[in-house]
Amino acid sequence: MPAGPFRLVKNRTTGDELISAFSGISTFIYHSRAGLQMAAMFLRCGSHPLSAAEIPPTLRPSPASRKPPSTAHCAKCLLWRPPGPPRDSQPVTEMHSMIQQQWDPQAQDASGLQPMWFSEAEPEGRTGSSFQPGDMTGQFSSSSLPNREVWSFLKAIPPIPDEAVVKWKSPRGSWRVGTLRHGKRVNAIAISSAPRHVYTCGTGYIRVWDEDALHASDRAPQAQLDFQDPRNRVLACKLFPDEQSLITGGMARALTLWDLAPTPQIRAQMVSTGSICYSLALSSDAHICLASFKGFVEIWDVQNQILIRKHKVPPYGSRCVDVTGFKFWTGGEDTTLYSWDLRSYQKLQQHNLCHEILSITHDPSEEWVLAGLKMSDIVILHAHREEKYKAVVQRYTQHHNLKFASCGTYFITTLDEMIHCLAAPSLRRLFQAEECYDILCCDVSSDNRYLVTGSKESATVYQLLY
């Protein structure tokens, strides 16, 4: 029997076939992450050919790839289309020939950025999602459409009320509400939600700001945490998931663990083997902390303040670090993104991204890893499958920060003095803002209400509008 649950429905439908068809649909909905949405769209609009305007301009893999070309999505129903050029599309160009206009905010109209989840290399034997409906090409065939009896049966099922469905919204804009006068360069920043506090980190001290200061421009900090050595400079900080602890690292031979409640104070100082910590990463359970130094990564048991391992990595591939599950990722000046096994410490993969890597982050599900490049490009990789996409800007930048919102529906990317809020996974631009100075760091509150950025001598607070 052909694959796919919808193929169980035939032209003449008996009661058993009807039950089988509905059972197959239920299995598809249960097993597919996006099953509810895809099934609803499929039943509503069926299969649509893609017009030339709906096909992204670059979907063909690079010449180095010997793998099949990517699939596209139908803009009407989001279903997989078969590989190969569409019937009514113009010839596609290679990924490496994408120009600045394709994701240059100056060249886009008010509708936002073009979707740019471009496939660079399609894995061999890939099935796309957890369930690939239809025939071997992944396209729904006409024989798989439900007939009139099945359609009537499904329409009789009462709809789920809107108020019973949890929907994560994406912001439609931002409002600059306050300025935090740190007094020196803000190299790292963090914002908590309960209670609402902002931590601005730089040279010599960390300043703590309460919620009242977020909506003002002349408020004094609630507290100032001074370092013993005023030359110590914080370059990276990470807020724990419970927002009760903070870890910082930078130009000091120690990582500092802070208790934030009831009064901010140092809990422990973990002596490092390197002089400059460039980046920090925390596991989702906050048990493991990774600190990147030139040529190696320190792996710490944060709960017990024990150094587990000093892991050697390429000396010019250790500027950034991130962790997803049992993998951690490093990258830097050598333009290569490395993935490592957190249990065996073996190198799993390496991806040549052609430009210096300035930042690495991941989405809340820890399925996707994003790398921000010096040419402003964003490379998106799946943490477990051989999937790689790229959003191309081709604009030289000195500072590139990435931060995913906890809801997972959008992320923030800062390119020098510009802020872009992009929807995930469409990469549609939700809003943009510009500051007077280069943005050195950014963070989004866990309740998705505030965005904070750090720059030359101050931090800026934005309230996100929904």
Side-chain angles (χ1 to χ4, degrees):
M1 184 175 294
F6 295 101
R7 289 183 175 271
L8 293 172
V9 182
K10 300 179 181 178
N11 293 333
R12 296 175 56 189
T13 307
T14 65
D16 291 338
E17 291 172 337
L18 198 63
I19 294 173
S20 299
F22 185 74
S23 175
I25 296 172
S26 300
T27 303
F28 163 60
I29 293 175
Y30 178 80
H31 286 289
S32 174
R33 180 178 297 272
L36 284 170
Q37 183 180 12
M38 287 184 61
M41 290 182 178
F42 165 66
L43 293 175
R44 181 168 63 250
C45 57
S47 181
H48 300 86
L50 293 177
S51 66
E54 295 171 326
I55 299 296
T58 53
L59 286 172
R60 182 171 298 173
S62 59
S65 173
R66 302 296 184 182
K67 301 175 183 179
S70 312
T71 56
H73 284 90
C74 175
K76 300 183 180 68
C77 58
L78 302 181
L79 299 180
W80 289 105
R81 306 300 301 173
R87 290 171 296 182
D88 58 346
S89 67
Q90 300 174 358
V92 296
T93 58
E94 295 178 359
M95 182 174 180
H96 296 291
S97 64
M98 288 188 282
I99 58 174
Q100 181 177 357
Q101 182 181 358
Q102 293 171 330
W103 197 45
D104 186 350
Q106 306 299 329
Q108 299 295 334
D109 58 20
S111 63
L113 303 178
Q114 300 283 346
M116 299 291 284
W117 290 93
F118 294 128
S119 177
E120 188 172 78
E122 193 77 13
E124 296 179 2
R126 175 180 177 272
T127 58
S129 59
S130 57
F131 166 69
Q132 181 113 7
D135 55 20
M136 294 300 292
T137 65
Q139 180 187 13
F140 280 104
S141 60
S142 58
S143 62
S144 68
L145 295 175
N147 63 15
R148 187 172 302 174
E149 294 178 51
V150 177
W151 180 267
S152 300
F153 176 77
L154 294 175
K155 287 181 67 176
I157 301 174
I160 300 175
D162 288 342
E163 59 270 16
V165 180
V166 177
K167 299 179 180 179
W168 291 108
K169 295 182 179 180
S170 296
R172 57 179 174 82
S174 66
W175 177 33
R176 186 179 302 189
V177 295
T179 302
L180 309 176
R181 306 293 179 183
H182 183 78
K184 298 180 181 179
R185 285 170 60 98
V186 181
N187 298 310
I189 196 168
I191 180 171
S192 62
S193 295
R196 181 87 61 194
H197 284 121
V198 174
Y199 305 89
T200 55
C201 309
T203 302
Y205 54 81
I206 297 174
R207 285 187 168 178
V208 184
W209 309 82
D210 60 14
E211 188 164 11
D212 291 337
L214 305 190
H215 292 263
S217 59
D218 55 356
R219 293 292 182 91
Q222 184 185 52
Q224 179 169 306
L225 313 177
D226 295 311
F227 302 134
Q228 288 183 343
D229 185 349
R231 296 173 299 177
N232 286 357
R233 180 187 302 174
V234 174
L235 299 178
C237 71
K238 285 292 180 181
L239 191 66
F240 281 52
D242 62 3
E243 301 187 339
Q244 301 299 304
S245 301
L246 180 76
I247 188 168
T248 60
M251 297 182 67
R253 288 189 172 272
L255 306 180
T256 305
L257 190 59
W258 303 82
D259 283 329
L260 302 179
T263 303
Q265 60 183 343
I266 295 177
R267 183 201 306 177
Q269 287 193 312
M270 303 182 293
V271 179
S272 303
T273 57
S275 58
I276 302 178
C277 172
Y278 297 102
S279 177
L280 292 170
L282 270 177
S283 61
S284 57
D285 59 6
H287 288 166
I288 300 296
C289 176
L290 288 84
S292 65
F293 298 81
K294 186 172 183 178
F296 64 92
V297 171
E298 288 184 349
I299 303 172
W300 286 88
D301 175 355
V302 183
Q303 305 300 318
N304 301 302
Q305 293 92 53
I306 297 174
L307 179 61
I308 300 173
R309 181 181 174 89
K310 178 181 176 180
H311 182 70
K312 185 178 180 181
V313 299
Y316 295 100
S318 58
R319 176 172 182 168
C320 312
V321 66
D322 197 22
V323 58
T324 56
F326 292 108
K327 287 184 180 181
F328 67 97
W329 308 75
T330 62
E333 294 88 343
D334 67 358
T335 75
T336 302
L337 181 66
Y338 303 89
S339 65
W340 311 83
D341 194 305
L342 197 52
R343 296 161 294 187
S344 65
Y345 306 110
Q346 299 297 313
K347 184 170 67 176
L348 300 176
Q349 292 174 314
Q350 65 181 54
H351 307 270
N352 184 12
L353 305 185
C354 302
H355 299 288
E356 181 179 344
I357 300 170
L358 299 182
S359 59
I360 305 174
T361 191
H362 63 272
D363 73 322
S365 70
E366 299 191 348
E367 290 188 18
W368 297 96
V369 175
L370 281 67
L373 308 185
K374 198 161 189 174
M375 281 299 293
S376 302
D377 301 347
I378 302 173
V379 175
I380 305 105
L381 302 98
H382 198 278
H384 310 295
R385 298 194 300 266
E386 288 290 334
E387 294 184 44
K388 186 192 299 183
Y389 307 88
K390 180 184 261 189
V392 175
V393 183
Q394 291 189 356
R395 166 195 165 189
Y396 181 84
T397 183
Q398 188 67 27
H399 304 284
H400 192 166
N401 301 283
L402 293 167
K403 178 63 181 182
F404 238 106
S406 61
C407 61
T409 61
Y410 67 94
F411 65 92
I412 300 294
T413 175
T414 69
L415 306 171
D416 289 340
E417 74 283 356
M418 295 298 301
I419 302 172
H420 302 284
C421 180
L422 305 179
S426 67
L427 292 187
R428 178 175 58 90
R429 189 181 68 205
L430 302 174
F431 68 84
Q432 72 176 26
E434 185 176 2
E435 297 191 4
C436 298
Y437 302 102
D438 285 357
I439 298 167
L440 308 177
C441 53
C442 67
D443 195 20
V444 178
S445 60
S446 59
D447 60 3
N448 305 295
R449 291 183 58 192
Y450 288 92
L451 161 69
V452 289
T453 62
S455 58
K456 186 178 180 180
E457 293 183 345
S458 62
T460 306
V461 184
Y462 299 85
Q463 185 171 345
L464 300 179
L465 306 176
Y466 292 88

